[in-house]
């Protein structure tokens, strides 16, 4: 009689343990399932903060008297905040001259020959593809033309010379003359031009600047 | 019957031959003597130290204010940049094809940068040595739209060899009138950014104890090798 009672209690404890374990397992599984999106969002949120990176690039003018500083802050959404500043050798605080929020395809890069020989202007390249745009701006932070901080001269070129394609903008042929090389639309070598800042116009050259 | 004999005027052919040869020698002699300098209008003048702080420069029909040169400040530069740290032979390579300059001290790369070689007149190729250095000089030449007048050309290092005489005025030097390095832009010289020319000027022998210097027998040679073909 006592032996049967012990067997009953043991079975009861075993069944109770199994039911409890089953409930715990089930509830824990439910908690995991329901909490997954929250954790995922939290994880993404953390990743966003970590992935915002900042890089800095400095380019010295050919005479060593001015430095162009480019600060790139890459954001989680793929865009980049670009800030351009200049500092002269006899100044302490950089002067911010231009800012831009851009996508990955149209971020601005600094060409090797960016500074005009007198350090009054810089030209910049926007985008990396064949259809790059080029712009020029002043290094004193003032507007270069009317209300505009920049003059984007690629579209000006195509308005006037639709028969040519810009192949490269290499540097400065003088204090106010930017060297623009071109090809004909069929790929044959085209002429070189000055982009003349005195009138924001193009001068077609008889000499090709390779 | 009298037979008329036509004699070949041998003396006439001989005379024409001598005259033609004389003409050829004359033209050759003139052309060898008149090999253009790198700076056609200031051939001899451009080899001398000169500072012209009050003059305006002209290049590509633009008027430019040249950098003011202070020879007293140059002596401070010498103290900072003219430090001797020789660990090997100094050798400068100028690649006209890529428009780049590399300066080595032994196996160590001292400087690599873009240059502009001759566009209106070719830069000579070969092995050269620096025969004179001047802190500043005046260069002029060209005609019409290509006329240029450039006082205060900074950090000038004239080079020559047995074929290209020093009097022709080819040099490495700083540049303040254009910023198109990596592309031919000069009248035969090797144009450098002023910051690069300054480094090479104080790095090469002879050390610039004065604002102009000429190597002596004891001066270690700095070899300049110019090669390739400009685009």
């Amino acid at each position: 009689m006592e032996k049967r009672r012990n067997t009953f209690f043991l079975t009861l404890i075993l069944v109770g343990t199994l039911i409890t374990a089953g409930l715990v397992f089930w509830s824990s599984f439910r908690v995991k399932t329901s909490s997954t999106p929250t954790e995922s969002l939290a994880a993404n949120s953390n990743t966003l903060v970590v992935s915002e990176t900042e890089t800095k690039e400095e380019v010295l003018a050919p005479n060593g008297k001015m430095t162009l500083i480019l600060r790139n802050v890459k954001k989680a959404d793929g865009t980049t905040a670009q800030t351009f500043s200049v500092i002269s050798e006899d100044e302490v605080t950089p002067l911010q001259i231009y800012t831009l929020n851009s996508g990955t395809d149209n971020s601005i890069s600094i060409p090797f020959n960016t500074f005009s020989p007198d350090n009054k202007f810089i030209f910049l390249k926007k985008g990396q593809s064949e259809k790059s745009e080029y712009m020029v701006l002043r290094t004193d932070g003032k507007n270069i033309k009317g209300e505009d901080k920049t003059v984007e001269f690629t579209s000006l070129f195509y308005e006037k010379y639709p028969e040519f394609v810009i192949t490269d903008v290499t540097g400065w042929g003088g204090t106010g003359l930017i060297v623009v090389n071109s090809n004909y639309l069929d790929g044959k070598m085209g002429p070189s031009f000055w982009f003349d800042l005195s009138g924001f116009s193009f001068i077609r050259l008889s000499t090709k600047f390779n | 019957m009298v037979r008329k004999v036509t004699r070949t005027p041998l003396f006439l052919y001989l005379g024409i031959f001598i005259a033609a040869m004389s003409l050829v020698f004359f033209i050759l002699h003139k052309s060898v003597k008149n090999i253009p300098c790198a700076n056609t209008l200031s051939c001899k003048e451009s080899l001398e130290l000169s500072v012209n702080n009050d003059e305006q420069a002209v290049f590509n029909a633009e008027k430019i204010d040249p950098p003011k040169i202070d020879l007293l400040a140059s002596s401070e530069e010498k103290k900072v940049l003219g430090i001797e740290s020789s660990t090997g032979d100094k050798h400068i390579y100028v690649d006209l094809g890529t428009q780049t300059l590399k300066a080595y001290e032994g196996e160590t790369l001292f400087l690599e940068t873009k240059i502009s070689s001759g566009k209106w007149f070719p830069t000579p190729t070969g092995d050269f040595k620096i025969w004179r250095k001047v802190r500043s000089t005046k260069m002029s030449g060209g005609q019409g739209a290509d006329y240029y007048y450039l006082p205060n050309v900074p950090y000038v290092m004239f080079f020559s060899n047995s074929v290209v005489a020093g009097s022709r005025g080819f040099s490495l030097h700083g540049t303040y009138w254009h910023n198109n390095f990596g592309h031919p832009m000069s009248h035969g010289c090797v144009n450098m950014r002023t910051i690069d020319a300054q480094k090479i000027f104080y790095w090469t022998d002879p050390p610039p104890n004065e604002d102009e210097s000429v190597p002596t027998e004891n001066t270690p040679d700095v070899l300049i090798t110019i090669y390739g073909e400009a685009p």
Side-chain angles (χ1 to χ4, degrees), chain A residues 60-64 112-118 168 170-177 179 194 207-210, chain B residues 59-60 62-64 67 113-114 119-120 146 175-185 193-196 231:
Chain A
L60 195 60
N63 62 5
F112 183 79
N113 297 317
T114 186
F115 277 99
S116 64
D118 56 5
D168 201 4
T170 60
W172 297 80
T175 50
L177 302 170
V179 183
W194 298 137
T207 306
K208 177 76 179 178
F209 285 88
N210 295 314
Chain B
F59 186 74
N60 277 332
E62 277 192 323
K63 287 185 178 175
I64 306 162
T113 190
K114 293 184 181 182
K119 169 152 194 66
W120 288 273
D146 295 330
T175 311
Y176 62 80
W177 50 93
H178 78 78
N179 183 15
N180 197 30
F181 300 100
H183 305 272
M185 204 71 188
R193 300 191 305 171
T194 300
I195 43 173
D196 297 327

Side-chain angles (χ1 to χ4, degrees), chain A residues 143-157:
Chain A
N143 293 344
I144 189 168
K145 188 183 180 189
E147 299 294 310
D148 298 323
K149 282 263 186 196
T150 65
V151 166
E152 189 275 296
F153 54 91
T154 323
S155 51
L156 293 177
F157 179 85

